[in-house]
Structures are given as C-alpha cells and as structure tokens.
DNA sequence: CAGACTTGGAACGGTTTCGTACAGAAACGT
DNA sequence: ACGTTTCTGTACGAAACCGTTCCAAGTCTG
C-alpha cells in the first residue's frame, strides 16, 4: 500500500529532487553558514509543527511530507489557508519581523521529515547573508501567491474545481500518484460539508480524472485536473521556478 | 458630499494620523535615508498603481485613499485579494526578491495621495538598514494575515457577513463614516453577482448596521458590523498595532 | 433640455450547497 | 472473533446563491 507509483501525465513542476529544495538552492557559503545548526526531525500525520499564537522557536525545512497551514475561526472550525512540502519551510513570520506563529501548522497526508534550525541561529544567519534572506523571502512570497489563488478559487469556482486544485497541490508534494486523503481532509481544505466532498469526488471519478479508494485518491489524469483548476493552479508554481532556480 | 463625518462607535484601530503610518513609525535615521527620494503623487479612483506582470519601478506609501489588490482569472473576471490605505505601501514583492508585481493594484472608493520612491533607492536603503527592512516586512506580514482571513471568511461566511467585513476594512481606511462604494465595487470584493450585493445591503440596512444611498454606504453601527464579521475582522489590525507601534 | 450612461431594484427559474441524519463498509483493537 | 471506530455513501428538504433580464432612478455631458 505504501508502494511508490510513477508520476502520471505531466510531471509536477515542484518536487523533483530529494531533500529540501530551498536548502538545495543555497550557495555553498549560505549552506555552510546554517548547516551546522540543522537537526533532523520527523513528524507523524497530525503532528503540530507550530501552534497559532505560540512563539517561533525554530524553523523547519521539510524534506518529505505535507504541512497544512490552518487558520481557525471562533476557536471552532479550522480552514486551510495553504499547503507546503519539501519546496519550503515553516516559520517565515520570523523573517517578517514577527516572533509568533499566526497559524497552526500540522502534518497532513503523509509523515514528514524536516531539518530544524533554532530561530536565533537563523536570524543571525540572515543578518549576515542577503542572499540567504532573499531565498527564504522568495519562498514566502510564492506562498503568498498561493494564498491569493486560494482566495480567487474559493470565490470563483465550484467545489469540484476547487477540489481539483487541492489534489494538484498535494500531488506536487508527494512522490507518487497515490495521495492519502480522507473526505475529512478535503473538508478542511474546501470548507464545505463532508458529503459535498463525497459528491465532488464522484464527479471527478466519473470524468476519469482520479480514482478514489478508501482514505486515498489516485491521480489518473493530471491534465484534466489542471483544466478544471484553470488559472487557480500554476502561477505560484511557475514563480517558484522563476525565482528559485 | 465630500463632507467629513465624525467616526461612529468604536474608533478604527488603524488610521488615526495624517500621512503614512509606516513612514511615521520609522526612526529618524531611517526616515532621513529615504525621504530625499520620496515624491508626492496622486491618483484618481480607478487609476492603476501597478499592473499584474509589470516590473516594479517604484513603491508607493499612501497618505490617503484606498488601494485594492486585484487578481484576475483567465484574463476575465477580477477579484480582490486585499485592501490597503495609509497604513501601508504598494510594491512589497520587491522586498521579497521579486521584481514584478503579481497583482493589479488600483485606487478605490476615494482619490489617493501617496509618496513614491524609486525601486533602486528603496532597495539600497533596506540593504543599509535592518530596521527599515523589518518595518516594511512587518506590514507585508500583516497584509498576508489579511489575506488569510479573506480565505476563511469566503469559506465560512455568508455574503452578508463577508460584506460586513469589507465595509469595516474600508471604514478603517477612510476618515469618515461615509464610504463611496457602488454595488459593483462590492461585487469585486465578494466575488458574487451584483444583485446579491443589493440583497445583502438591504439586509444590513434592516439590521440598522448601515445606511445605503446611491454609490455610498454610511456606517451606522460599527459594533454590529464587527459582530457579523466575527473573527474574520480584527486580528490583522491587532497585529499591526502590536508590531508597528 | 435631450440623450447617454451609471447605479440600483426586482423578478424568474435553476443550480449549488447546506444541515442533518442514517446506514453500510472497511479498518482497528483486544 | 467481536465490538468499536473511522471512513464512506445516500437521502431529504431548506437555504443560499446563480445567471439573466428588464426597468426605474439618478447623474453626467453636451
């Protein structure tokens, strides 16, 4: 069941290499500056990387797994505002002059592996190196673009089309066509009731874009998903490539 | 018609002083570094400050007026992803290592006045001063928080409640209880059809939260609007106060 | 003043989505 | 093996929202 399935259709523009892509993009000097402080950590699905309101004590550069960035309303329901994997890191508010995390960040879909660095070490490093700082800020910027597209997507598109987008975002961040996602997981992303998820999944299945089995989604036709997502998918990914490669 | 009406109910936490609040928050040194390059400009309603995809040649610190940050889908419809006024500036992607603007930014509701600085001058300045850089990044961070709340708002709330939120965001950025907003303006923010705006406005009027006259909304009961907006309003504003004052 | 344009109000049927509730199916613990 | 939990499918009426169209009222222009 944990079989690695080759990626279907077009290849995901985001995740190609092992390890964290931001770290891989660093210059030799920048990498040398922070690597002594990087410490490997792992997370199980559901684990919290940060909690809303808590001080940021360290930053995590993911090597595997998917982190969901969640905002909660009235201490009640929670909604995803974004998603990231091995292309990014968690703790960006620190670079933006905030010492607390505004969001819950939790592992989703698959277990995570990351390199963790203490906040003070990284702050010292970006004070020294403008190129390091720029690299990290560029990722933050791309994440902001993703948030922007989440807004227009939720305003303009039906549940089915928004679902296609989220599947793509997950697909980009796993190394297989098999994505572990329960309906409840989708509910978090889409902010809809669980049975609407069921219906939308069935529609995507009828269109042969995916196959859904218990707690899993199989990407069958990536091109079809991209057609459904329209412009709500793609731009942040292109910008990542342009700015960070 | 351009009469200045005193602000009703609780005072807006955002705009109290004249001039740009970020510039006002700068240290003497930081201000001295950039002020030689600041040049006053004005914009009419509808004017573009930046266009999506265009290189960022200058940054604008608003002193008056409201700027809407708009994303467009399939070169067709446009949707607002955020709003800012004299508490912020336009051109933040430059600080994040991007030289192009991802969004259209246009003047809304009322004519604008701003101080403009060439991109290269500002880049040089933030290279010199970490405090200047932090101040500007903090605003960007707060803007990101606003985007996050726009996401949860559009996922969780009805048109009426989302409208209450946008009215508050506008209210904070004008110096009166009179806000110039056509139904078409709301349509842009809410991503709904124009007649839904009409209906929602009527409901808010019935509840005595606002009064709507042609092309204008009068804030009558700010507390009621805040109750409707719930947690989708307030946090970014608090964070602005915490980080920038 | 006359015509053009912008803004707002109302109505239609149709679709999407909601809230809720219930039941079957698969996985899990013991 | 058994009960329990998790995940999924389905159904119901109700509400929200949609696209569209038409018209009235206000504003602007010449």
């Amino acid at each position: 069941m944990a079989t690695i399935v080759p990626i279907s259709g077009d290849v995901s523009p985001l995740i190609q290499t092992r390890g964290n892509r931001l770290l891989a993009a660093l210059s030799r000097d920048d990498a040398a500056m922070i690597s002594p402080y990087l410490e490997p950590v792992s997370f199980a699905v559901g684990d919290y990387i940060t909690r809303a309101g808590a001080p940021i004590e360290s930053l995590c550069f993911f090597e595997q797994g998917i982190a969901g960035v969640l905002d909660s309303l009235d201490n009640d329901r929670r909604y995803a505002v974004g998603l990231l994997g091995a292309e990014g890191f968690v703790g960006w508010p620190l670079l933006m002059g905030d010492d607390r995390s505004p969001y819950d960040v939790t592992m989703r879909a698959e277990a995570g592996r990351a390199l963790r660095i203490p906040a003070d070490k990284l702050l010292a490093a970006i004070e020294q190196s403008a190129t390091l700082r720029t690299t990290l800020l560029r990722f933050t910027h791309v994440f902001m673009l993703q948030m922007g597209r989440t807004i227009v997507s939720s305003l303009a598109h039906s549940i089915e089309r928004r679902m296609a987008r989220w599947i793509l975002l997950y697909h980009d961040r796993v190394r297989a066509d098999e994505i572990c996602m329960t309906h409840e997981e989708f509910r978090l992303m889409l902010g809809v009731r669980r049975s609407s998820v069921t219906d939308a999944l069935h529609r995507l299945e009828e269109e042969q874009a995916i196959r859904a089995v218990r707690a899993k989604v199989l990407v069958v036709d990536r091109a079809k998903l991209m057609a459904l997502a329209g412009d709500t998918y793609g731009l942040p990914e292109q910008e990542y490539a342009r700015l960070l490669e």
Side-chain angles (χ1 to χ4, degrees), chain A residues 82-83 142-150 165 169 173 236:
Chain A
L83 211 62
V142 171
F143 189 82
M144 205 168 161
L145 295 181
Q146 193 196 92
M147 288 177 66
R149 291 286 149 134
T150 300
R165 174 172 180 263
L169 293 181
R173 287 163 180 82

Side-chain angles (χ1 to χ4, degrees), chain A residues 15-140:
Chain A
I15 310 289
Q16 307 306 344
T17 58
R18 302 221 150 249
N20 182 273
R21 283 183 76 199
L22 283 182
L23 295 180
L26 291 182
S27 73
R28 200 168 298 262
D29 285 351
D30 287 343
M33 202 186 315
I34 62 170
S35 52
Y37 307 111
L38 292 171
E39 167 206 15
V41 282
S42 19
F43 299 102
V45 175
D47 279 3
Y48 281 79
I49 290 91
T50 69
R51 281 180 191 271
I56 301 175
E57 283 155 6
S58 60
L59 297 89
C60 279
F61 293 83
F62 288 98
E63 303 197 293
Q64 187 160 37
I66 297 182
V69 182
L70 309 178
D71 203 357
S72 47
L73 221 46
D74 312 299
N75 297 320
D76 185 22
R77 292 208 194 154
R78 300 198 309 175
Y79 301 90
V81 302
L83 211 62
L84 64 100
E87 88 283 11
F89 71 104
V90 167
W92 62 82
L94 212 64
L95 306 186
M96 314 283 284
D98 192 352
D99 56 340
R100 301 192 210 157
S101 169
Y103 302 117
D104 285 337
V105 180
T106 80
M107 286 317 291
R108 318 224 59 93
E110 64 174 25
R113 223 180 44 230
L115 294 172
R116 186 167 61 186
I117 185 169
D120 54 342
K121 306 294 183 199
L122 190 100
L123 276 177
I126 61 170
E127 217 43 63
Q128 299 253 321
S129 162
T131 52
L132 173 62
R133 198 176 64 224
T134 300
T135 300
L136 300 187
L137 283 175
R138 278 184 173 155
F139 164 72
T140 309

